[in-house]
Amino acid sequence: MWGLDRESKKPLYQQIADHIERRISFGEFPPGSLLPSERKLAEQIGVNRSTVVQAFAELRSLGIIESRSGSGTRVSQFKWGASPKHTPNWNRYAEGGSFLPNLPFLRRIREALSLDSSLVDFASGELAADLAPTSEISEIMSSHQYASYLGYDNPQGYIPLRQALVRYLAEYRGVQATESSILITSGSQQSLFLITQCLLSPGDAVAIEDPSYYYSLPMFQSAGLRIFRLPVDQDGMRPEEIRGLYKKHRIKMIFTNPNFQNPTGTLLADDRRHKLLQTASELGLPIIEDDPYSLTDYEGLPRMPLKSIDTSGSVIYIGSFSKIAASGLRIGWMVAPNSVVQRLADARQQMDFGLSVIPQQVAAQFLESDFFEPHLGRLRTNLMYKRDLLIEALRKELPGQIQFHIPKGGHHLWCKLSEPVNDAKLLEAAIRNGVVFVPGSVYGSDAGFVRFTFARAKTECIGQGIAGFARALHSLRN
């Protein structure tokens, strides 16, 4: 990541000009493409606008860029060769294709975090370093030899990892599986991508929870699917809505996150679990169950997944290491009928010829090591502590101005503000005050909802972050 060297003898404007010239020469800004405005670029790199004005003046003097009143500043068409019209229009290509980019709010959050590492991060969904089993995994890696043949592995995934998952699923999740019914993926999102691309067709209707993490994933729209919502309350998704959606829209699949749901943190009530399975069975509808948070149950009694009580074979079960151990290992899994596993394994092999073997070996060894159970205990304790710090800070900084349901597990606190605010303005104000969060509209909610993720933020920064959010909120109301 490029950044200004404020200790360098080279003036800041010259550093900026050199950096822009390099990006132009590398083709990141093709001839004729529009550059960021002076004001926006100054904000992005943390300098006065006058510094960027000097940098642009330097580039204009060299004929590298040109500015026209009302049209902004663009890369020169003529500096880069005699036939600039033959240069591919990379911007048009970047804006094309069938796979949609991330939502604007998510891109803005990512941009803010990349530019300012001091921001208190209530947006990212991964574990903080102090929650991950870093030392345990390092010990496993140092005590095992990884000298086996490093060729392409089995398309379904590393067999010893699938065997370890069979034992893990039976002991911790109450799910009976065989190694042939398991597909190893790079995480829940790859599992969902394979399902939407291979088991559904453009125009198919699917049901997701409302609000839902799935709503933030462009992969559903990229696959041409029609999305219909199942409302979520304090007891989780309401399955009585399914028949109406099936009758009206002929939905073909239901996507759900029943345990400590993202973003609301709710648990699907027992009677609703049975109603969901019964309805799906009667209608012949598959259920895609994403279960990343169950083992974070703060009481140490993880709620069993739908798959554990599925007697009709309606549920495809998705899990991963990302939310309970290490997102960097990029290990997820899917339990499904063998015909589905074979279909998706074939598709995945066409994409990447399979996952790296070494992370799969590490994951298998960690699952069956003496480190796994103690790690889960520490993870639950520390997550609950962070949750309580977050709640304490919200009650202190925003008394009577925010409502929330206290989750009993997971990573997220879903909040409703007492008065609706403009999501975009609130996010920008929060960034200026040193904190990022995810606006509720990302998950399909109306303005006035926010999701705070407490797993990523440093413990000592949680109070500071909520104080910054409170200042941002008050600045808009005043």
Side-chain angles (χ1 to χ4, degrees), residues 32-63:
S33 63
L34 185 66
L35 295 175
S37 69
E38 294 167 350
R39 186 182 304 278
K40 183 175 181 180
L41 185 57
E43 291 176 355
Q44 287 178 347
I45 58 182
V47 297
N48 292 327
R49 183 182 176 186
S50 60
T51 306
V52 176
V53 170
Q54 282 185 281
F56 277 15
E58 176 79 5
L59 293 169
R60 272 194 297 270
S61 71
L62 297 171

Side-chain angles (χ1 to χ4, degrees), residues 272-431:
R272 295 188 180 188
R273 291 169 185 262
H274 291 286
K275 181 68 173 177
L276 171 58
L277 288 169
Q278 179 185 352
T279 303
S281 177
E282 290 174 1
L283 298 176
L285 286 175
I287 298 171
I288 310 303
E289 179 183 17
D290 190 6
D291 188 30
Y293 303 111
S294 287
L295 292 184
T296 65
D297 188 305
Y298 304 147
E299 297 175 353
L301 300 171
R303 184 64 64 99
M304 291 295 105
L306 293 171
K307 184 66 176 175
S308 67
I309 56 172
D310 174 27
T311 58
S312 60
S314 300
V315 178
I316 291 179
Y317 180 75
I318 295 172
S320 90
F321 265 162
S322 296
K323 309 306 182 186
I324 60 169
S327 55
L329 282 177
R330 304 311 306 141
I331 297 295
W333 53 85
M334 183 192 311
V335 180
N338 183 255
S339 58
V340 171
V341 168
Q342 292 296 328
R343 169 72 176 96
L344 301 188
D346 175 76
R348 212 274 308 285
Q349 190 176 35
Q350 295 179 52
M351 294 165 54
D352 58 15
F353 282 99
L355 306 175
S356 170
V357 175
I358 291 177
Q360 294 184 78
Q361 292 175 338
V362 173
Q365 289 152 3
F366 180 60
L367 268 179
E368 303 209 300
S369 72
D370 293 334
F371 297 130
F372 186 63
E373 184 63 39
H375 162 69
L376 290 179
R378 289 192 300 272
L379 176 64
R380 296 178 189 119
T381 299
N382 291 328
L383 281 173
M384 184 167 64
Y385 180 59
K386 287 190 171 188
R387 177 205 66 179
D388 292 346
L389 285 177
L390 177 62
I391 291 171
E392 180 182 357
L394 286 169
R395 286 172 173 166
K396 174 186 175 183
E397 300 290 344
L398 295 168
Q401 300 174 63
I402 195 164
Q403 302 172 25
F404 46 80
H405 162 80
I406 299 178
K408 297 180 179 179
H411 296 184
H412 313 296
L413 188 68
W414 181 245
C415 301
K416 180 181 181 182
L417 302 175
S418 58
E419 298 177 18
V421 295
N422 181 285
D423 278 351
K425 291 181 178 179
L426 181 57
L427 178 59
E428 291 302 325
I431 291 171

